[in-house]
Amino acid sequence: FFSSLRSASMRALSWLLLCSFRGTSALQPSRPGVSRRPLLQHALALGVLAPGAAAAAAEKKPSLKEVVAQLDAGTPKEERNAHGEKADHFPQIAFEGGQGQGKKVVFTVPHQNLSPPSFSYIEYMWIKDEESGAILTARKFRPSDPDLVITAFGSSGQRLTAASKDDKFGIWQGTFRVP
């Protein structure tokens, strides 16, 4: 029922659009005082003028924060910090400043990204708020990226987790409290 109603509405709206533009400039209304804007807005909403827009919205890629949230949620605790050398992968945290937005949290990994296939590289780094589970910041790296650094702002006493994902050695993380 709804699909036939939508189809009929789209046909009617298409007919109205064609009639409204017939014999006039597209920039001027066909009758003084009559605006095409509402008609065009309804046509766009129904997908008459942009039928691919609905399909494009349905195929939207997940954001980087959504990708790392899925990695974080999908990796069991016993698999974290389990492979590779701690000296190369464990998060290093530094704090800067203390006014305005809070303390600046600087997260680095001592690992060097070297070109695969013979060497591993850090694919993602992120900082998560432990209380809410929200990803505060995230970054995706290429094998050739030399600087493995991300920053976020935290409030005094806030518990944060800094994590990175190595393509061969998995997720390494550390939880800390902002001073």
PDB file of all heavy atoms in Angstrom, residues 90-95 103-107 126-130 136 152-155 157-163 173-179:
ATOM      1  N   PHE A  90      53.577  -0.414  24.187  1.00  0.00           N
ATOM      2  CA  PHE A  90      52.772   0.108  25.294  1.00  0.00           C
ATOM      3  C   PHE A  90      52.630   1.629  25.182  1.00  0.00           C
ATOM      4  O   PHE A  90      53.609   2.333  24.899  1.00  0.00           O
ATOM      5  CB  PHE A  90      53.388  -0.264  26.647  1.00  0.00           C
ATOM      6  CG  PHE A  90      52.409  -0.153  27.773  1.00  0.00           C
ATOM      7  CD1 PHE A  90      51.439  -1.113  27.966  1.00  0.00           C
ATOM      8  CD2 PHE A  90      52.427   0.946  28.615  1.00  0.00           C
ATOM      9  CE1 PHE A  90      50.516  -0.999  28.985  1.00  0.00           C
ATOM     10  CE2 PHE A  90      51.508   1.075  29.644  1.00  0.00           C
ATOM     11  CZ  PHE A  90      50.545   0.089  29.829  1.00  0.00           C
ATOM     12  N   PRO A  91      51.422   2.157  25.393  1.00  0.00           N
ATOM     13  CA  PRO A  91      51.178   3.602  25.264  1.00  0.00           C
ATOM     14  C   PRO A  91      52.038   4.431  26.217  1.00  0.00           C
ATOM     15  O   PRO A  91      52.227   4.066  27.372  1.00  0.00           O
ATOM     16  CB  PRO A  91      49.701   3.743  25.642  1.00  0.00           C
ATOM     17  CG  PRO A  91      49.122   2.399  25.452  1.00  0.00           C
ATOM     18  CD  PRO A  91      50.211   1.413  25.725  1.00  0.00           C
ATOM     19  N   GLN A  92      52.534   5.538  25.701  1.00  0.00           N
ATOM     20  CA  GLN A  92      53.244   6.513  26.515  1.00  0.00           C
ATOM     21  C   GLN A  92      52.397   7.775  26.559  1.00  0.00           C
ATOM     22  O   GLN A  92      51.973   8.284  25.511  1.00  0.00           O
ATOM     23  CB  GLN A  92      54.619   6.805  25.921  1.00  0.00           C
ATOM     24  CG  GLN A  92      55.538   5.607  25.961  1.00  0.00           C
ATOM     25  CD  GLN A  92      56.923   5.926  25.424  1.00  0.00           C
ATOM     26  OE1 GLN A  92      57.149   6.943  24.771  1.00  0.00           O
ATOM     27  NE2 GLN A  92      57.869   5.035  25.700  1.00  0.00           N
ATOM     28  N   ILE A  93      52.149   8.261  27.777  1.00  0.00           N
ATOM     29  CA  ILE A  93      51.249   9.396  27.980  1.00  0.00           C
ATOM     30  C   ILE A  93      52.008  10.555  28.601  1.00  0.00           C
ATOM     31  O   ILE A  93      52.812  10.371  29.514  1.00  0.00           O
ATOM     32  CB  ILE A  93      50.074   8.997  28.921  1.00  0.00           C
ATOM     33  CG1 ILE A  93      49.322   7.792  28.364  1.00  0.00           C
ATOM     34  CG2 ILE A  93      49.139  10.171  29.164  1.00  0.00           C
ATOM     35  CD1 ILE A  93      48.681   8.003  27.024  1.00  0.00           C
ATOM     36  N   ALA A  94      51.751  11.764  28.103  1.00  0.00           N
ATOM     37  CA  ALA A  94      52.282  12.993  28.688  1.00  0.00           C
ATOM     38  C   ALA A  94      51.133  13.990  28.796  1.00  0.00           C
ATOM     39  O   ALA A  94      50.143  13.893  28.061  1.00  0.00           O
ATOM     40  CB  ALA A  94      53.401  13.553  27.813  1.00  0.00           C
ATOM     41  N   PHE A  95      51.254  14.922  29.719  1.00  0.00           N
ATOM     42  CA  PHE A  95      50.217  15.929  29.925  1.00  0.00           C
ATOM     43  C   PHE A  95      50.815  17.314  29.731  1.00  0.00           C
ATOM     44  O   PHE A  95      51.942  17.563  30.130  1.00  0.00           O
ATOM     45  CB  PHE A  95      49.620  15.811  31.337  1.00  0.00           C
ATOM     46  CG  PHE A  95      49.036  14.464  31.612  1.00  0.00           C
ATOM     47  CD1 PHE A  95      49.763  13.497  32.293  1.00  0.00           C
ATOM     48  CD2 PHE A  95      47.762  14.141  31.163  1.00  0.00           C
ATOM     49  CE1 PHE A  95      49.238  12.258  32.540  1.00  0.00           C
ATOM     50  CE2 PHE A  95      47.230  12.893  31.401  1.00  0.00           C
ATOM     51  CZ  PHE A  95      47.969  11.942  32.090  1.00  0.00           C
ATOM     52  N   LYS A 103      43.384  19.445  30.667  1.00  0.00           N
ATOM     53  CA  LYS A 103      44.765  19.072  30.356  1.00  0.00           C
ATOM     54  C   LYS A 103      44.836  18.432  28.987  1.00  0.00           C
ATOM     55  O   LYS A 103      44.002  17.612  28.626  1.00  0.00           O
ATOM     56  CB  LYS A 103      45.291  18.094  31.392  1.00  0.00           C
ATOM     57  CG  LYS A 103      45.569  18.736  32.727  1.00  0.00           C
ATOM     58  CD  LYS A 103      46.823  18.156  33.307  1.00  0.00           C
ATOM     59  CE  LYS A 103      47.058  18.742  34.661  1.00  0.00           C
ATOM     60  NZ  LYS A 103      48.224  19.552  34.731  1.00  0.00           N
ATOM     61  N   LYS A 104      45.866  18.785  28.262  1.00  0.00           N
ATOM     62  CA  LYS A 104      46.101  18.170  26.964  1.00  0.00           C
ATOM     63  C   LYS A 104      46.801  16.835  27.212  1.00  0.00           C
ATOM     64  O   LYS A 104      47.827  16.780  27.884  1.00  0.00           O
ATOM     65  CB  LYS A 104      46.954  19.074  26.082  1.00  0.00           C
ATOM     66  CG  LYS A 104      47.175  18.536  24.688  1.00  0.00           C
ATOM     67  CD  LYS A 104      47.971  19.527  23.852  1.00  0.00           C
ATOM     68  CE  LYS A 104      48.148  19.057  22.441  1.00  0.00           C
ATOM     69  NZ  LYS A 104      48.907  20.041  21.644  1.00  0.00           N
ATOM     70  N   VAL A 105      46.237  15.766  26.675  1.00  0.00           N
ATOM     71  CA  VAL A 105      46.796  14.429  26.800  1.00  0.00           C
ATOM     72  C   VAL A 105      47.508  14.118  25.484  1.00  0.00           C
ATOM     73  O   VAL A 105      46.909  14.191  24.418  1.00  0.00           O
ATOM     74  CB  VAL A 105      45.685  13.383  27.045  1.00  0.00           C
ATOM     75  CG1 VAL A 105      46.262  11.982  27.136  1.00  0.00           C
ATOM     76  CG2 VAL A 105      44.882  13.733  28.287  1.00  0.00           C
ATOM     77  N   VAL A 106      48.794  13.798  25.563  1.00  0.00           N
ATOM     78  CA  VAL A 106      49.586  13.466  24.381  1.00  0.00           C
ATOM     79  C   VAL A 106      49.928  11.982  24.458  1.00  0.00           C
ATOM     80  O   VAL A 106      50.601  11.546  25.384  1.00  0.00           O
ATOM     81  CB  VAL A 106      50.877  14.318  24.305  1.00  0.00           C
ATOM     82  CG1 VAL A 106      51.674  13.963  23.061  1.00  0.00           C
ATOM     83  CG2 VAL A 106      50.536  15.799  24.334  1.00  0.00           C
ATOM     84  N   PHE A 107      49.437  11.217  23.491  1.00  0.00           N
ATOM     85  CA  PHE A 107      49.613   9.763  23.451  1.00  0.00           C
ATOM     86  C   PHE A 107      50.560   9.417  22.314  1.00  0.00           C
ATOM     87  O   PHE A 107      50.327   9.780  21.174  1.00  0.00           O
ATOM     88  CB  PHE A 107      48.242   9.113  23.265  1.00  0.00           C
ATOM     89  CG  PHE A 107      48.224   7.660  22.914  1.00  0.00           C
ATOM     90  CD1 PHE A 107      49.227   6.773  23.302  1.00  0.00           C
ATOM     91  CD2 PHE A 107      47.157   7.145  22.194  1.00  0.00           C
ATOM     92  CE1 PHE A 107      49.170   5.430  22.977  1.00  0.00           C
ATOM     93  CE2 PHE A 107      47.087   5.799  21.859  1.00  0.00           C
ATOM     94  CZ  PHE A 107      48.105   4.939  22.246  1.00  0.00           C
ATOM     95  N   TRP A 126      43.792   5.469  19.472  1.00  0.00           N
ATOM     96  CA  TRP A 126      42.620   6.180  19.967  1.00  0.00           C
ATOM     97  C   TRP A 126      42.706   6.374  21.467  1.00  0.00           C
ATOM     98  O   TRP A 126      43.450   5.683  22.164  1.00  0.00           O
ATOM     99  CB  TRP A 126      41.322   5.479  19.574  1.00  0.00           C
ATOM    100  CG  TRP A 126      41.088   4.117  20.167  1.00  0.00           C
ATOM    101  CD1 TRP A 126      40.388   3.815  21.306  1.00  0.00           C
ATOM    102  CD2 TRP A 126      41.524   2.858  19.634  1.00  0.00           C
ATOM    103  NE1 TRP A 126      40.376   2.467  21.506  1.00  0.00           N
ATOM    104  CE2 TRP A 126      41.055   1.848  20.492  1.00  0.00           C
ATOM    105  CE3 TRP A 126      42.262   2.487  18.520  1.00  0.00           C
ATOM    106  CZ2 TRP A 126      41.301   0.495  20.282  1.00  0.00           C
ATOM    107  CZ3 TRP A 126      42.509   1.146  18.291  1.00  0.00           C
ATOM    108  CH2 TRP A 126      42.027   0.162  19.159  1.00  0.00           C
ATOM    109  N   ILE A 127      41.937   7.349  21.958  1.00  0.00           N
ATOM    110  CA  ILE A 127      41.806   7.615  23.388  1.00  0.00           C
ATOM    111  C   ILE A 127      40.322   7.540  23.712  1.00  0.00           C
ATOM    112  O   ILE A 127      39.496   8.167  23.046  1.00  0.00           O
ATOM    113  CB  ILE A 127      42.388   8.992  23.770  1.00  0.00           C
ATOM    114  CG1 ILE A 127      43.886   9.036  23.443  1.00  0.00           C
ATOM    115  CG2 ILE A 127      42.152   9.282  25.255  1.00  0.00           C
ATOM    116  CD1 ILE A 127      44.532  10.394  23.671  1.00  0.00           C
ATOM    117  N   LYS A 128      40.022   6.755  24.759  1.00  0.00           N
ATOM    118  CA  LYS A 128      38.626   6.498  25.143  1.00  0.00           C
ATOM    119  C   LYS A 128      38.390   6.934  26.583  1.00  0.00           C
ATOM    120  O   LYS A 128      39.246   6.741  27.449  1.00  0.00           O
ATOM    121  CB  LYS A 128      38.351   4.994  25.007  1.00  0.00           C
ATOM    122  CG  LYS A 128      36.981   4.563  25.452  1.00  0.00           C
ATOM    123  CD  LYS A 128      36.756   3.082  25.228  1.00  0.00           C
ATOM    124  CE  LYS A 128      37.359   2.265  26.328  1.00  0.00           C
ATOM    125  NZ  LYS A 128      36.984   0.854  26.294  1.00  0.00           N
ATOM    126  N   ASP A 129      37.227   7.521  26.848  1.00  0.00           N
ATOM    127  CA  ASP A 129      36.799   7.852  28.200  1.00  0.00           C
ATOM    128  C   ASP A 129      36.274   6.567  28.838  1.00  0.00           C
ATOM    129  O   ASP A 129      35.345   5.946  28.309  1.00  0.00           O
ATOM    130  CB  ASP A 129      35.712   8.925  28.158  1.00  0.00           C
ATOM    131  CG  ASP A 129      35.170   9.291  29.525  1.00  0.00           C
ATOM    132  OD1 ASP A 129      35.765   8.893  30.550  1.00  0.00           O
ATOM    133  OD2 ASP A 129      34.135   9.971  29.582  1.00  0.00           O
ATOM    134  N   GLU A 130      36.858   6.156  29.940  1.00  0.00           N
ATOM    135  CA  GLU A 130      36.476   4.896  30.573  1.00  0.00           C
ATOM    136  C   GLU A 130      35.059   4.924  31.152  1.00  0.00           C
ATOM    137  O   GLU A 130      34.372   3.915  31.137  1.00  0.00           O
ATOM    138  CB  GLU A 130      37.469   4.512  31.679  1.00  0.00           C
ATOM    139  CG  GLU A 130      38.675   3.791  31.170  1.00  0.00           C
ATOM    140  CD  GLU A 130      38.323   2.487  30.465  1.00  0.00           C
ATOM    141  OE1 GLU A 130      37.645   1.627  31.051  1.00  0.00           O
ATOM    142  OE2 GLU A 130      38.735   2.344  29.306  1.00  0.00           O
ATOM    143  N   LEU A 136      37.249   9.617  22.385  1.00  0.00           N
ATOM    144  CA  LEU A 136      37.489  11.064  22.362  1.00  0.00           C
ATOM    145  C   LEU A 136      38.201  11.500  21.091  1.00  0.00           C
ATOM    146  O   LEU A 136      37.912  12.565  20.545  1.00  0.00           O
ATOM    147  CB  LEU A 136      38.307  11.487  23.581  1.00  0.00           C
ATOM    148  CG  LEU A 136      37.704  11.149  24.949  1.00  0.00           C
ATOM    149  CD1 LEU A 136      38.625  11.623  26.054  1.00  0.00           C
ATOM    150  CD2 LEU A 136      36.321  11.780  25.092  1.00  0.00           C
ATOM    151  N   ALA A 152      44.282  14.629  22.936  1.00  0.00           N
ATOM    152  CA  ALA A 152      42.898  14.862  23.360  1.00  0.00           C
ATOM    153  C   ALA A 152      42.970  15.749  24.599  1.00  0.00           C
ATOM    154  O   ALA A 152      44.055  16.021  25.113  1.00  0.00           O
ATOM    155  CB  ALA A 152      42.195  13.549  23.670  1.00  0.00           C
ATOM    156  N   PHE A 153      41.829  16.192  25.075  1.00  0.00           N
ATOM    157  CA  PHE A 153      41.776  16.967  26.304  1.00  0.00           C
ATOM    158  C   PHE A 153      41.004  16.176  27.344  1.00  0.00           C
ATOM    159  O   PHE A 153      39.973  15.565  27.040  1.00  0.00           O
ATOM    160  CB  PHE A 153      41.116  18.335  26.064  1.00  0.00           C
ATOM    161  CG  PHE A 153      42.004  19.273  25.308  1.00  0.00           C
ATOM    162  CD1 PHE A 153      41.952  19.341  23.928  1.00  0.00           C
ATOM    163  CD2 PHE A 153      42.923  20.060  25.981  1.00  0.00           C
ATOM    164  CE1 PHE A 153      42.787  20.187  23.226  1.00  0.00           C
ATOM    165  CE2 PHE A 153      43.772  20.917  25.289  1.00  0.00           C
ATOM    166  CZ  PHE A 153      43.699  20.979  23.909  1.00  0.00           C
ATOM    167  N   GLY A 154      41.528  16.181  28.584  1.00  0.00           N
ATOM    168  CA  GLY A 154      40.872  15.468  29.673  1.00  0.00           C
ATOM    169  C   GLY A 154      40.751  16.351  30.896  1.00  0.00           C
ATOM    170  O   GLY A 154      41.543  17.274  31.102  1.00  0.00           O
ATOM    171  N   SER A 155      39.757  16.050  31.719  1.00  0.00           N
ATOM    172  CA  SER A 155      39.532  16.784  32.960  1.00  0.00           C
ATOM    173  C   SER A 155      40.292  16.107  34.091  1.00  0.00           C
ATOM    174  O   SER A 155      40.496  14.890  34.074  1.00  0.00           O
ATOM    175  CB  SER A 155      38.040  16.794  33.305  1.00  0.00           C
ATOM    176  OG  SER A 155      37.301  17.348  32.251  1.00  0.00           O
ATOM    177  N   GLY A 157      41.195  14.050  37.082  1.00  0.00           N
ATOM    178  CA  GLY A 157      40.533  12.893  37.680  1.00  0.00           C
ATOM    179  C   GLY A 157      39.860  11.963  36.680  1.00  0.00           C
ATOM    180  O   GLY A 157      39.437  10.861  37.040  1.00  0.00           O
ATOM    181  N   GLN A 158      39.746  12.368  35.439  1.00  0.00           N
ATOM    182  CA  GLN A 158      39.085  11.555  34.405  1.00  0.00           C
ATOM    183  C   GLN A 158      39.941  10.328  34.078  1.00  0.00           C
ATOM    184  O   GLN A 158      41.146  10.423  33.929  1.00  0.00           O
ATOM    185  CB  GLN A 158      38.872  12.405  33.157  1.00  0.00           C
ATOM    186  CG  GLN A 158      38.097  11.744  32.055  1.00  0.00           C
ATOM    187  CD  GLN A 158      37.873  12.672  30.860  1.00  0.00           C
ATOM    188  OE1 GLN A 158      38.543  13.695  30.707  1.00  0.00           O
ATOM    189  NE2 GLN A 158      36.928  12.310  30.019  1.00  0.00           N
ATOM    190  N   ARG A 159      39.292   9.150  33.997  1.00  0.00           N
ATOM    191  CA  ARG A 159      39.977   7.916  33.613  1.00  0.00           C
ATOM    192  C   ARG A 159      39.871   7.728  32.102  1.00  0.00           C
ATOM    193  O   ARG A 159      38.774   7.678  31.556  1.00  0.00           O
ATOM    194  CB  ARG A 159      39.364   6.696  34.314  1.00  0.00           C
ATOM    195  CG  ARG A 159      39.826   6.528  35.740  1.00  0.00           C
ATOM    196  CD  ARG A 159      39.184   5.343  36.444  1.00  0.00           C
ATOM    197  NE  ARG A 159      38.997   4.169  35.616  1.00  0.00           N
ATOM    198  CZ  ARG A 159      39.804   3.108  35.594  1.00  0.00           C
ATOM    199  NH1 ARG A 159      40.858   3.069  36.367  1.00  0.00           N
ATOM    200  NH2 ARG A 159      39.542   2.073  34.825  1.00  0.00           N
ATOM    201  N   LEU A 160      41.032   7.629  31.464  1.00  0.00           N
ATOM    202  CA  LEU A 160      41.100   7.464  30.018  1.00  0.00           C
ATOM    203  C   LEU A 160      41.900   6.215  29.681  1.00  0.00           C
ATOM    204  O   LEU A 160      42.769   5.806  30.450  1.00  0.00           O
ATOM    205  CB  LEU A 160      41.765   8.680  29.368  1.00  0.00           C
ATOM    206  CG  LEU A 160      41.103  10.045  29.588  1.00  0.00           C
ATOM    207  CD1 LEU A 160      41.950  11.144  28.964  1.00  0.00           C
ATOM    208  CD2 LEU A 160      39.706  10.053  29.034  1.00  0.00           C
ATOM    209  N   THR A 161      41.611   5.625  28.540  1.00  0.00           N
ATOM    210  CA  THR A 161      42.378   4.508  28.018  1.00  0.00           C
ATOM    211  C   THR A 161      42.969   4.920  26.676  1.00  0.00           C
ATOM    212  O   THR A 161      42.248   5.389  25.798  1.00  0.00           O
ATOM    213  CB  THR A 161      41.506   3.248  27.834  1.00  0.00           C
ATOM    214  OG1 THR A 161      41.071   2.817  29.121  1.00  0.00           O
ATOM    215  CG2 THR A 161      42.277   2.125  27.173  1.00  0.00           C
ATOM    216  N   ALA A 162      44.278   4.760  26.552  1.00  0.00           N
ATOM    217  CA  ALA A 162      44.969   5.000  25.288  1.00  0.00           C
ATOM    218  C   ALA A 162      45.233   3.632  24.677  1.00  0.00           C
ATOM    219  O   ALA A 162      45.721   2.721  25.357  1.00  0.00           O
ATOM    220  CB  ALA A 162      46.277   5.735  25.537  1.00  0.00           C
ATOM    221  N   ALA A 163      44.880   3.464  23.407  1.00  0.00           N
ATOM    222  CA  ALA A 163      45.045   2.165  22.758  1.00  0.00           C
ATOM    223  C   ALA A 163      45.550   2.344  21.335  1.00  0.00           C
ATOM    224  O   ALA A 163      45.297   3.356  20.692  1.00  0.00           O
ATOM    225  CB  ALA A 163      43.720   1.407  22.747  1.00  0.00           C
ATOM    226  N   GLN A 173      47.078  -1.408  25.081  1.00  0.00           N
ATOM    227  CA  GLN A 173      46.384  -0.303  25.746  1.00  0.00           C
ATOM    228  C   GLN A 173      46.899  -0.099  27.162  1.00  0.00           C
ATOM    229  O   GLN A 173      47.501  -0.991  27.756  1.00  0.00           O
ATOM    230  CB  GLN A 173      44.890  -0.567  25.786  1.00  0.00           C
ATOM    231  CG  GLN A 173      44.490  -1.683  26.732  1.00  0.00           C
ATOM    232  CD  GLN A 173      42.997  -1.862  26.806  1.00  0.00           C
ATOM    233  OE1 GLN A 173      42.304  -1.677  25.820  1.00  0.00           O
ATOM    234  NE2 GLN A 173      42.506  -2.226  27.974  1.00  0.00           N
ATOM    235  N   GLY A 174      46.622   1.085  27.662  1.00  0.00           N
ATOM    236  CA  GLY A 174      46.922   1.435  29.047  1.00  0.00           C
ATOM    237  C   GLY A 174      45.868   2.408  29.539  1.00  0.00           C
ATOM    238  O   GLY A 174      45.450   3.296  28.808  1.00  0.00           O
ATOM    239  N   THR A 175      45.423   2.220  30.781  1.00  0.00           N
ATOM    240  CA  THR A 175      44.418   3.104  31.369  1.00  0.00           C
ATOM    241  C   THR A 175      45.107   3.999  32.383  1.00  0.00           C
ATOM    242  O   THR A 175      45.976   3.538  33.139  1.00  0.00           O
ATOM    243  CB  THR A 175      43.292   2.281  32.010  1.00  0.00           C
ATOM    244  OG1 THR A 175      42.689   1.477  31.000  1.00  0.00           O
ATOM    245  CG2 THR A 175      42.224   3.170  32.634  1.00  0.00           C
ATOM    246  N   PHE A 176      44.749   5.261  32.431  1.00  0.00           N
ATOM    247  CA  PHE A 176      45.388   6.230  33.310  1.00  0.00           C
ATOM    248  C   PHE A 176      44.370   7.259  33.761  1.00  0.00           C
ATOM    249  O   PHE A 176      43.271   7.355  33.221  1.00  0.00           O
ATOM    250  CB  PHE A 176      46.559   6.909  32.578  1.00  0.00           C
ATOM    251  CG  PHE A 176      46.134   7.619  31.320  1.00  0.00           C
ATOM    252  CD1 PHE A 176      45.816   8.965  31.344  1.00  0.00           C
ATOM    253  CD2 PHE A 176      46.031   6.938  30.120  1.00  0.00           C
ATOM    254  CE1 PHE A 176      45.409   9.612  30.189  1.00  0.00           C
ATOM    255  CE2 PHE A 176      45.629   7.563  28.974  1.00  0.00           C
ATOM    256  CZ  PHE A 176      45.308   8.911  29.000  1.00  0.00           C
ATOM    257  N   ARG A 177      44.721   7.997  34.795  1.00  0.00           N
ATOM    258  CA  ARG A 177      43.873   9.070  35.312  1.00  0.00           C
ATOM    259  C   ARG A 177      44.557  10.408  35.040  1.00  0.00           C
ATOM    260  O   ARG A 177      45.746  10.567  35.267  1.00  0.00           O
ATOM    261  CB  ARG A 177      43.665   8.871  36.817  1.00  0.00           C
ATOM    262  CG  ARG A 177      42.560   9.703  37.397  1.00  0.00           C
ATOM    263  CD  ARG A 177      42.229   9.333  38.823  1.00  0.00           C
ATOM    264  NE  ARG A 177      41.700   8.006  39.017  1.00  0.00           N
ATOM    265  CZ  ARG A 177      40.411   7.662  38.863  1.00  0.00           C
ATOM    266  NH1 ARG A 177      39.547   8.565  38.477  1.00  0.00           N
ATOM    267  NH2 ARG A 177      40.020   6.427  39.096  1.00  0.00           N
ATOM    268  N   VAL A 178      43.778  11.365  34.528  1.00  0.00           N
ATOM    269  CA  VAL A 178      44.313  12.700  34.236  1.00  0.00           C
ATOM    270  C   VAL A 178      44.580  13.406  35.573  1.00  0.00           C
ATOM    271  O   VAL A 178      43.702  13.440  36.433  1.00  0.00           O
ATOM    272  CB  VAL A 178      43.318  13.514  33.380  1.00  0.00           C
ATOM    273  CG1 VAL A 178      43.857  14.914  33.119  1.00  0.00           C
ATOM    274  CG2 VAL A 178      43.000  12.796  32.082  1.00  0.00           C
ATOM    275  N   PRO A 179      45.810  13.932  35.756  1.00  0.00           N
ATOM    276  CA  PRO A 179      46.133  14.600  37.025  1.00  0.00           C
ATOM    277  C   PRO A 179      45.372  15.930  37.191  1.00  0.00           C
ATOM    278  O   PRO A 179      44.928  16.524  36.273  1.00  0.00           O
ATOM    279  CB  PRO A 179      47.631  14.850  36.942  1.00  0.00           C
ATOM    280  CG  PRO A 179      48.004  14.687  35.527  1.00  0.00           C
ATOM    281  CD  PRO A 179      46.929  13.910  34.840  1.00  0.00           C
TER     282      PRO A 179
END
